Amino acid sequence: MTNSHSADQRQLFTVLTAGALVLLVVHGLGRFIYTPLLPYLVADGQFSAPDGAAVATWNYLGYLMGAMLAIRWHRIDQIRVMLPLFLAIHVVTTLVVTQTDNLTVISASRWLNGVANGVVFVQAPALILEWLVLRNRASLSGLVYIGVGIGLLVSSGLVTGSATLLEGAERWWPAAVLSIPIAWWGAMQFRRLDVPVRQHDDSGQVVSNTPLLDRASIPLFLSYAGAGLGYILPMTFLPLLAKMTLPQGHGLLDGTWVIVALFTIPAPWLWNKLGALMGDLPALRLNFLIQLAGVLAAVVWPGALGLVLCAALVGSTFLGTVLLTQRIGRALHPHQGPRLSAAMVALYGFTQMVGPWLTKQWLDAGGTLGSAFGIGVAALAFGLLFAFFVPSADSWHSRS
């Protein structure tokens, strides 16, 4: 009995670790390493700040398209094939950007890397959730997102640690080299995962795809859209804003991203716990309020204080928004599974793509990067408003 329990615990740890590590790869070493890299790539003359925003937009467009592909490929048998394939695409596209300064090639590679990120970010947690549901351990599913926070810290360390050694395209090499073994190991663990293809739901009914949008889910989707647009501005441009507003040699030039990373790591556990204590919907509204205060701080105090508050408050909340919204959505539509998750990530991806595009338009029109963060403030206020229109799962399912 003890040996069986120990084996189950080891397997649980291995599966959650695999999920966390593949998210570390595609999100930390794929998407968000670009944030601390951006000031260095601009300083190296590889491209301008507006061009850098355009590259980010291409990456987010890819993320949106990847999430939409995940809506199409939402079955377990499809996920088994797509996950290893898109982890390999992440590695290849990261290797490509180590070899070129051509803006078109960089943009295309970052677009395809975003596609891989979108697919993996949906499919890996969804597959693990199905595996956990079969073992009555679904409450642990949010722990895979710890990999995102650790990925932010790792990405910051890789960029800062190699800052004086590498230049231009070479700056991508640490991410590429680290991605290869982690992606391979994670893919091998997912291939071994025993998750049968379900033909019936928990009540014995045949699984069918019903409409994703109704009176319960529409305000949740709108709220999530506000979250995506609101958080992506600091998560893309915070180090660049620090470089533009702080004196040369200031400790926060690289420190803002480290603060984001450190506050992100415990966030999944924290918001999972708060959701259990106070309810997921009240926790989500509190999450929006704190995140809104963080982005607002960067606008109201455009210096060291505002940067630190923004990094800490956004870092400690944005993953909580993800896991709470996903959990609320699943509670409202328990039969939807990976398809619901993919649809939410697709919407999130769209609003994240809009954020850098709006920032580029603002900068091209003569606005400042600091004032552009006001777009994020408005978006989070929008998300907070619609969070109050989302019904609780109990009231929704008990309606006449």
Side-chain angles (χ1 to χ4, degrees):
M1 184 74 174
T2 302
N3 289 340
S4 175
H5 177 72
S6 298
D8 289 344
Q9 291 297 107
R10 284 196 299 272
Q11 186 182 26
L12 183 64
F13 177 79
T14 299
V15 171
L16 290 173
T17 300
L21 285 177
V22 298
L23 294 189
L24 182 155
V25 166
V26 297
H27 232 52
L29 303 180
R31 163 176 286 201
F32 283 129
I33 197 169
Y34 183 73
T35 305
L37 274 176
L38 181 56
Y40 290 103
L41 297 176
V42 171
D44 291 342
Q46 190 177 52
F47 43 64
S48 65
D51 286 337
V55 170
T57 303
W58 279 109
N59 182 251
Y60 300 153
L61 173 62
Y63 183 76
L64 167 64
M65 295 175 71
M68 294 178 70
L69 288 176
I71 299 175
R72 173 67 180 83
W73 296 324
H74 65 274
R75 299 200 316 266
I76 298 300
D77 55 331
Q78 294 169 328
I79 292 175
R80 290 189 186 282
V81 175
M82 293 299 119
L83 256 179
L85 172 63
F86 281 97
L87 281 169
I89 289 173
H90 160 84
V91 171
V92 171
T93 52
T94 307
L95 286 170
V96 167
V97 292
T98 67
Q99 301 299 308
T100 182
D101 290 319
N102 184 281
L103 186 62
T104 302
V105 176
I106 293 170
S107 298
S109 298
R110 294 298 293 160
W111 164 76
L112 189 53
N113 187 273
V115 175
N117 185 12
V119 171
V120 174
F121 195 76
V122 170
Q123 291 189 343
L127 184 61
I128 288 175
L129 178 57
E130 296 301 316
W131 183 84
L132 290 170
V133 165
L134 293 172
R135 289 154 180 80
N136 296 317
R137 305 299 294 272
S139 61
L140 298 176
S141 62
L143 295 179
V144 300
Y145 294 104
I146 291 175
V148 177
I150 296 174
L152 299 184
L153 191 61
V154 170
S155 68
S156 178
L158 290 177
V159 172
T160 305
S162 62
T164 59
L165 304 174
L166 305 173
E167 185 176 354
E170 298 172 346
R171 296 189 184 277
W172 287 98
W173 269 113
V177 170
L178 188 58
S179 290
I180 294 170
I182 298 178
W184 178 84
W185 184 83
M188 292 302 100
Q189 300 309 310
F190 278 108
R191 286 181 64 86
R192 297 173 188 154
L193 213 55
D194 181 22
V195 182
V197 178
R198 300 182 70 190
Q199 303 298 332
H200 298 81
D201 62 21
D202 296 334
S203 64
Q205 299 295 315
V206 175
V207 173
S208 61
N209 288 333
T210 57
L212 286 170
L213 298 177
D214 55 28
R215 286 182 291 114
S217 63
I218 286 175
L220 185 64
F221 274 95
L222 290 172
S223 177
Y224 206 41
L229 178 55
Y231 101 100
I232 202 60
L233 293 173
M235 293 300 290
T236 304
F237 299 112
L238 196 60
L240 185 60
L241 181 62
K243 190 175 184 66
M244 290 180 168
T245 57
L246 298 176
Q248 189 173 3
H250 196 287
L252 284 177
L253 291 178
D254 290 314
T256 53
W257 197 240
V258 176
I259 294 171
V260 171
L262 290 174
F263 276 84
T264 299
I265 292 171
W269 177 88
L270 171 66
W271 289 103
N272 193 63
K273 193 74 173 177
L274 286 173
L277 290 174
M278 62 190 298
D280 287 342
L281 268 174
L284 180 65
R285 293 160 187 160
L286 175 63
N287 179 284
F288 266 104
L289 193 60
I290 295 172
Q291 198 167 173
L292 173 61
V295 183
L296 184 62
V299 179
V300 175
W301 298 297
L305 176 61
L307 290 168
V308 169
L309 286 173
C310 184
L313 297 181
V314 174
S316 62
T317 50
F318 80 92
L319 284 180
T321 317
V322 173
L323 71 91
L324 289 170
T325 304
Q326 295 280 353
R327 198 155 71 186
I328 292 166
R330 188 175 177 85
L332 292 170
H333 294 289
H335 56 288
Q336 294 288 11
R339 184 167 168 256
L340 176 67
S341 175
M344 285 191 165
V345 172
L347 177 63
Y348 207 54
F350 173 75
T351 55
Q352 290 173 73
M353 179 190 71
V354 170
W357 180 83
L358 286 175
T359 302
K360 185 177 187 300
Q361 307 313 306
W362 184 260
L363 294 176
D364 287 345
T368 65
L369 186 58
S371 61
F373 275 47
I375 299 168
V377 173
L380 287 166
F382 175 90
L384 175 61
L385 173 65
F386 277 97
F388 283 95
F389 290 92
V390 180
S392 69
D394 290 341
S395 65
W396 176 249
H397 293 301
S398 64
R399 70 195 188 283
S400 57

